[in-house]
Amino acid sequence: MSTSLSSEQLTEIAREYGTPVYVYDAEKITFQYHSLTHEFHDQPARFFYACKALTNVHILKHIYSLGASFDCSSINEVKIARYAGIPADKILYTSNSISFSEIEEAQAEGVHINIDSLSNLDKFGRKYKNTYPVGIRLRPNIMAGGNLNISTGHDKSKFGIPINKIDEILAVVHKHKMDIAVLHIHTGSEISDVDLYMKGVDILLELAEKFPTVHTLDLGGGFKVPYKDGDSHTDISLLASAIKKAFAKAKAQTGREYNIWFEPGKFMVSECGYLIASVTVLKETSATTFAGVDTGFNHLIRPMFYGAYHRIENLSNPQGETRKYSVVGNVCETDTFAWERDVAEIKEGDLLVFRNAGAYGMEMASNFNSRFRPAEVMVKDGQPQLIRRRETFDDLLRNQII
Ligand SMILES: *Cc1c(COP(=O)(O)O)cnc(C)c1O
């Protein structure tokens, strides 16, 4: 059974903690995690939550308690995960465009590492030889994912080492006698097409034959969740059976068996999250009726950055007749959450909720316009708990030399 927080519960939280406020439903995260692990229970599969989606330490601890591992995109994420009490062998650092010194730091932490450039691979080999098993992030030339911004596998993408450089990769590996444990791909976010996903998997299985030390194939993240009714999403059950088939076939042909790693970000935390805002002004124009709210792309950038759709509901008038509103933020820039959207009739002071706000919401928030970043509340076992206080004026000045 899926879960979601009730309008009453969200309204109560907004009253207690003020708006704008991010609210996360721990139970929904649990549900998402189990729906993944369930499909792969008979496989040597591990799930590394891609924590750049949402790094609040309470969320990390909750996800760790479920048995997950963690994928990190920066050395600071590695440190936050360590701070949350996650052991090094449950942390993976998948790097891109980083200096070698960060990789050295990750090595010193003892975490798994995927390297994504030939130059860093060469530096790593020269320094650590075969003493530290390491992964290689490859970039298959396939176009997958919702759009160019979030697709990472195509030819114009900066991510990974292009697979047409395979001879150079092998030369580096042989020169330093490296212990390559993992081959990795992450072909993009919002991949709902299982066939496309499997293209990447097949390429990886084929390339793995060139690496006798490889025991794990890391298939990345990018599972799509629905944002609105009738939206496509990744069929995990279908994906699982396709992956099992492909790995079984590879075993029959080559005798090799691989561990399977995944790095779900959005799938784990998108739907658990709610951003609640108050309506500050209603403004009629000849084009539309604006509903201005006390938040903006400084707190939820996805609509403006990716053209993302977030469901918007009026918590204060859930049964009201719907009318068309253009819901806009309070930042001094064009800042549109939704244009001419059906929302139950809005009055100034009403509470609106943006759904699917768990992934890449608070995590991409900024202080643009010198506004405070929102508070965060986690609901676990029915109990709301403040897990990040709202910023205050001191936070804006904290690092300025005055
Ligand atoms: C961002 C990222 C993910 C997670 O992507 P989602 O679309 O949130 O699932 C997984 N792996 C890597 C390397 C990433 O950079």
Side-chain angles (χ1 to χ4, degrees), residues 229-383:
D229 291 340
D231 227 358
S232 68
H233 61 96
T234 309
D235 184 336
I236 302 295
S237 178
L238 194 68
L239 182 70
S241 63
I243 287 174
K244 282 179 213 177
K245 223 163 98 188
F247 276 68
K249 187 171 153 210
K251 187 188 169 192
Q253 285 171 352
T254 67
R256 292 178 67 181
E257 268 181 283
Y258 302 100
N259 302 311
I260 314 169
W261 288 2
F262 294 100
E263 302 163 354
K266 186 176 285 179
F267 185 87
M268 289 283 290
V269 295
S270 173
E271 293 160 288
C272 84
Y274 305 76
L275 172 62
I276 311 174
S278 300
V279 177
T280 42
V281 292
L282 284 174
K283 194 186 281 185
E284 301 264 358
T285 72
S286 54
T288 188
T289 303
F290 288 107
V293 291
D294 63 352
T295 184
F297 74 61
N298 50 333
H299 298 156
L300 180 64
I301 202 172
R302 300 190 72 261
M304 290 306 291
F305 195 43
Y306 305 111
Y309 182 102
H310 287 261
R311 264 189 294 154
I312 301 172
E313 287 151 20
N314 186 351
L315 292 175
S316 307
N317 185 21
Q319 310 303 336
E321 220 171 286
T322 61
R323 286 189 45 194
K324 289 210 186 302
Y325 295 94
S326 295
V327 180
V328 292
N330 59 359
V331 159
C332 270
E333 278 276 355
T334 299
D335 182 11
T336 311
F337 286 113
W339 186 258
E340 288 282 293
R341 181 81 67 82
D342 282 329
V343 184
E345 184 165 10
I346 298 174
K347 292 195 295 298
E348 289 184 1
D350 281 358
L351 294 171
L352 300 189
V353 61
F354 298 84
R355 303 287 293 259
N356 282 77
Y360 311 109
M362 182 61 179
E363 207 57 37
M364 294 174 97
S366 76
N367 288 117
F368 187 47
N369 279 199
S370 293
R371 291 198 181 276
F372 308 139
R373 287 184 299 162
E376 294 182 291
V377 170
M378 179 171 77
V379 180
K380 198 173 169 184
D381 303 323
Q383 294 304 315

Side-chain angles (χ1 to χ4, degrees), residues 48-53 71-73 94-96 114 137 150 152 159 184-186 188-191 218-224 262-268 359-360:
F48 293 74
Y49 164 54
C51 68
K52 73 171 185 285
D71 178 50
C72 299
S73 297
T94 301
S95 61
N96 90 86
N114 287 329
R137 178 173 191 173
I150 57 175
T152 54
F159 295 99
H184 168 279
I185 49 168
H186 170 66
S189 200
E190 303 206 337
I191 307 166
D218 179 346
L219 308 182
F223 304 141
K224 189 177 185 315
F262 294 100
E263 302 163 354
K266 186 176 285 179
F267 185 87
M268 289 283 290
Y360 311 109

